Amino acid sequence: MIVAAIIVAAGHGARAGGPIPKQWQPLAGRRVIDWTLARFQTHPRINRLVLVLHPDNLPDWPQIPGVEAVAGGATRSASVRNGLEHLAQSDVTHVLIHDVARPCTAPGTIDAVLDALEHYDAVAPALPVTDALWHGQAGRVTGTQDRAGLYRAQTPQGFDLAAILAAHRGHPAPAADDVEIARAAGLDVVIVPGDETNLKITHPGDFARAEAHLWGRMDIRIGNGYDVHRFGPGDHVMLCGVAVPHERGLQGHSDADVGLHALTDAIYGALAEGDIGRHFPPSDPQWKGSESHIFLRHAVALAAEKKFNISNLDLTLVCERPKIGPHAAAMQAVVAEITGLAPERISVKATTSERLGFTGREEGIAAIATAALIKP
């Protein structure tokens, strides 16, 4: 199977309260949408990830490697169809359709749906209803409902791509979910066990419930990086991948990018993986003169291999000159491109040492970095 996940995030979610739609609201140190995307970005059996956004949000969405953003429609069903049409001419064979408001989905739930898709064209996770059910009107119980055979539906719901696309094309009316559309087209939908933690954020109180689950099973790591390079002959310095004009250059075995070196070591530190010297020994001539983005990309890939998401990076450059401020935004953009993080998760700033020490004497530049890593 070649699997794509479609994350539906084009709604307004008014019942959840707050000044902005629920997918953009903070949750356990990140946004709801960030947690939901991470569940599928790091899953080894998912080949593509499609994010369906409200057209108003699409222009502001940062380009994130591996996430394909498309515009949603007037209804949830229309948004899902837009995501399906985006995949129509691709080599994708199966699709998972998931609500952005379910940020706590466990890998086991995704695996259960994918395992069943090996044998069936339509699969959905669900939980049997265990509470008593009533009918009510005007604040009074007016009757009871037998709960036998009733289930609480969850997502992701999985389908053969061709089958669910045909079903959506033949069902222009709104629907509660994609199972309703699949069944209207005659598809047999198989139920797999859901998970109580796979809750959907609908009301204001759901944020606290979701946060409790996320904090409870997160592995949070903090790493520090420190690096120094001395000045020598040259007409520029490389800082965070940006060539900054200066009457001297930085000396080192590689391109001496002190900023990228500190960031790389911060990530390695959070992973308990030593430093750059462990992975790229200076005694090895193949790394002489290397561009330092190679080191940072390796650290980012190692974090992903260990199932960690990089939450944010913070870098301070210590020097009298050159002035960092005019170049900080460009440095931030380069680090964002290398790491795949959104620019607002990367801080690049500078300070002087008040003319004290080797940086104060302009003998070199120091860099201090911190990286926060999270395993959902």
Side-chain angles (χ1 to χ4, degrees):
M1 294 192 305
I2 300 176
V3 181
I6 296 175
I7 310 299
V8 188
H12 290 296
R15 287 179 295 174
I20 56 176
K22 58 190 175 184
Q23 60 266 37
W24 307 110
Q25 293 191 39
L27 178 70
R30 307 173 77 182
R31 300 173 302 183
V32 172
I33 193 169
D34 299 322
W35 284 112
T36 305
L37 285 175
R39 300 289 170 180
F40 294 85
Q41 282 177 297
T42 58
H43 197 286
R45 298 170 67 182
I46 294 174
N47 307 101
R48 292 177 65 175
L49 186 56
V50 177
L51 177 63
V52 185
L53 295 170
H54 191 281
D56 291 345
N57 299 130
L58 199 58
D60 298 325
W61 178 253
Q63 295 298 315
I64 296 179
V67 179
E68 306 164 40
V70 301
T75 63
R76 183 189 185 280
S77 300
S79 293
V80 171
R81 177 170 172 178
N82 286 0
L84 293 170
E85 295 287 1
H86 177 75
L87 298 167
Q89 303 303 317
S90 71
D91 60 352
V92 171
T93 60
H94 293 78
V95 64
L96 302 181
I97 303 172
H98 188 67
D99 296 324
V100 72
R102 292 186 186 271
C104 303
T105 306
T109 301
I110 298 173
D111 282 327
V113 174
L114 291 174
D115 289 345
L117 276 179
E118 297 277 4
H119 309 285
Y120 305 101
D121 287 342
V123 181
L127 291 169
V129 173
T130 56
D131 297 319
L133 296 175
W134 302 334
H135 294 280
Q137 188 173 4
R140 299 290 189 277
V141 176
T142 59
T144 59
Q145 174 67 50
D146 184 4
R147 62 177 178 252
L150 294 181
Y151 288 82
R152 291 184 284 140
Q154 295 186 337
T155 65
Q157 297 171 357
F159 304 93
D160 174 272
L161 175 58
I164 193 62
L165 179 56
H168 267 271
R169 286 172 174 171
H171 193 286
D177 64 5
D178 300 288
V179 165
E180 180 180 338
I181 293 174
R183 295 190 68 251
L187 292 177
D188 187 30
V189 182
V190 173
I191 299 173
V192 297
D195 189 325
E196 285 289 354
T197 65
N198 188 18
L199 60 93
K200 184 178 181 182
I201 295 176
T202 304
H203 302 289
D206 295 332
F207 285 95
R209 295 172 56 215
E211 198 161 70
H213 289 302
L214 292 171
W215 283 124
R217 57 187 187 186
M218 281 193 296
D219 184 354
I220 302 174
R221 306 282 189 89
I222 302 295
N224 295 316
Y226 177 75
D227 196 41
V228 171
H229 283 282
R230 62 183 175 83
F231 281 125
D235 60 4
H236 71 279
V237 292
M238 289 300 299
L239 294 173
C240 295
V242 176
V244 179
H246 193 54
E247 63 265 24
R248 289 182 290 173
L250 290 174
Q251 307 301 295
H253 186 69
S254 63
D255 63 3
D257 191 326
V258 66
L260 292 189
H261 292 180
L263 288 169
T264 302
D265 277 351
I267 296 173
Y268 284 147
L271 296 171
E273 284 284 346
D275 59 10
I276 293 175
R278 177 191 293 187
H279 301 275
F280 303 91
S283 58
D284 190 336
Q286 70 172 309
W287 306 120
K288 185 172 179 58
S290 296
E291 295 182 355
S292 295
H293 69 81
I294 295 171
F295 312 145
L296 183 54
R297 291 183 195 277
H298 178 267
V300 171
L302 188 59
E305 180 183 321
K306 292 175 174 288
K307 310 301 182 187
F308 280 94
N309 300 315
I310 301 174
S311 178
N312 70 290
L313 298 171
D314 182 25
L315 173 69
T316 300
L317 297 167
V318 185
C319 60
E320 301 294 329
R321 290 186 309 127
K323 296 302 181 184
I324 304 303
H327 308 281
M331 295 177 189
Q332 182 186 40
V334 171
V335 175
E337 188 279 325
I338 294 171
T339 61
L341 271 66
E344 59 265 24
R345 293 188 174 276
I346 299 163
S347 170
V348 177
K349 58 191 186 299
T351 188
T352 71
S353 53
E354 299 293 336
R355 297 287 178 180
L356 300 174
F358 73 92
T359 57
R361 295 189 297 269
E362 299 191 42
E363 296 171 2
I365 298 179
I368 305 167
T370 301
L373 276 60
I374 300 173
K375 182 184 289 187

